[in-house]
Amino acid sequence: MRIILLGAPGAGKGTQADSIKAKYPVAHISTGDMLRSNIKEGTELGRNAEVYMDAGKLVPDDVIIAMMERRLMEDDAKEGFMLDGFPRTIAQAKALDEILDKMKLKLDAVVDLVIEDDAVVGRLTSRRVCRQCGEIYNTVMKPSSKEGVCDKCGGDVVQRDDDKEDVIRKRLSVFHEQTAPLIDYYGKQGILVPVDATGEKDAVLKVLEQKKANA
Ligand code: AMP
């Protein structure tokens, strides 16, 4: 299975990916996670990316495309993948098409998680994340048992710098300008599957299973 999870920041791409992974153990490739682990490790890529990320802007295409080309060549990705947060621009989508052509692979579906901006702001301002293991919490829906402490590993549970409201608004405007055109791009390829992002947490899994059953 080779799919892309498309949708605004906060649409729940990570949550949907987790439920899909439990059923189909394909490589979950999140560019945001890859960049954050580079920042944590203090790599040059991380240092360059951090400035853009903290400002709610996209990291330049050439940096992301080179990073993804390397990642898609790894063995686990050759078996199947779920892309989360990539592509985010038309240039990235075109580069991905070229990489997949070279590898003689095709995408099965591009899932568009549909959500209103105000719902995103509500979700993301209440999101918290463990600095150590990456576990996601929500101050309203899923708080950690002890405030600020991860239930899984005891690490610090914090708000991501880019989950502050002004940065979220900026990320949403970047999404509408640069990422939303991908809906049309993949719609024309006939592989776009819209899913209501405010529905169940395994909504995408259900749609994919239905698609498979009808194939
Ligand atoms: P995410 O965790 O997917 O919301 O990504 C967090 C931040 O990482 C984004 O706001 C961007 O600054 C950066 N980022 C992640 N994926 C990409 C991408 N495909 N292209 C450019 N920047 C990205």
Side-chain angles (χ1 to χ4, degrees):
M1 183 172 70
R2 287 175 207 92
I3 63 167
I4 292 175
L5 293 173
L6 201 68
K13 298 187 286 291
T15 309
Q16 297 293 337
D18 285 344
S19 79
I20 297 168
K21 252 191 311 192
K23 188 82 196 275
Y24 301 98
V26 291
H28 172 200
I29 304 179
S30 154
T31 39
D33 286 349
M34 289 168 79
L35 294 168
R36 280 184 289 276
S37 73
N38 271 276
I39 291 175
K40 208 167 153 192
E41 286 159 20
T43 67
E44 194 185 335
L45 171 67
R47 279 195 300 277
N48 289 336
E50 194 170 15
V51 188
Y52 295 96
M53 291 168 78
D54 284 351
K57 293 183 181 166
L58 293 186
V59 175
D61 284 334
D62 54 343
V63 176
I64 296 288
I65 291 167
M67 179 178 89
M68 281 304 281
E69 181 151 25
R70 283 194 301 274
R71 181 64 186 90
L72 288 168
M73 297 291 170
E74 286 177 27
D75 283 343
D76 63 335
K78 287 181 189 152
E79 304 296 319
F81 56 69
M82 203 165 25
L83 302 186
D84 163 0
F86 177 89
R88 257 176 157 102
T89 63
I90 293 284
Q92 292 180 17
K94 286 185 174 162
L96 176 64
D97 282 347
E98 281 173 25
I99 296 169
L100 294 179
D101 270 354
K102 263 196 267 174
M103 296 172 78
K104 301 201 177 357
L105 297 176
K106 271 196 179 324
L107 290 169
D108 296 309
V110 177
V111 178
D112 176 27
L113 286 164
V114 183
I115 189 164
E116 298 283 330
D117 285 6
D118 285 343
V120 165
V121 174
R123 268 190 192 183
L124 289 189
T125 48
S126 54
R127 177 163 74 175
R128 299 291 180 272
V129 57
C130 172
R131 216 197 288 268
Q132 209 156 305
C133 73
E135 181 70 4
I136 308 276
Y137 294 93
N138 183 292
T139 53
V140 186
M141 308 291 285
K142 187 194 165 196
S144 55
S145 310
K146 189 168 171 225
E147 202 186 324
V149 182
C150 180
D151 293 343
K152 267 195 168 171
C153 75
D156 290 341
V157 174
V158 296
Q159 183 175 44
R160 273 168 47 175
D161 283 338
D162 59 351
D163 279 347
K164 311 242 158 89
E165 182 161 350
D166 54 334
V167 184
I168 294 167
R169 297 271 176 208
K170 172 70 190 163
R171 289 165 69 198
L172 280 168
S173 79
V174 167
F175 170 78
H176 290 298
E177 271 167 37
Q178 305 200 51
T179 309
L182 296 181
I183 296 169
D184 193 40
Y185 182 86
Y186 288 117
K188 285 187 179 140
Q189 291 190 12
I191 51 174
L192 191 75
V193 183
V195 176
D196 175 7
T198 59
E200 300 165 45
K201 68 176 199 282
D202 58 356
V204 176
L205 178 64
K206 288 197 173 142
V207 170
L208 291 176
E209 305 229 283
Q210 210 167 25
K211 203 170 173 280
K212 219 173 153 203
N214 296 337

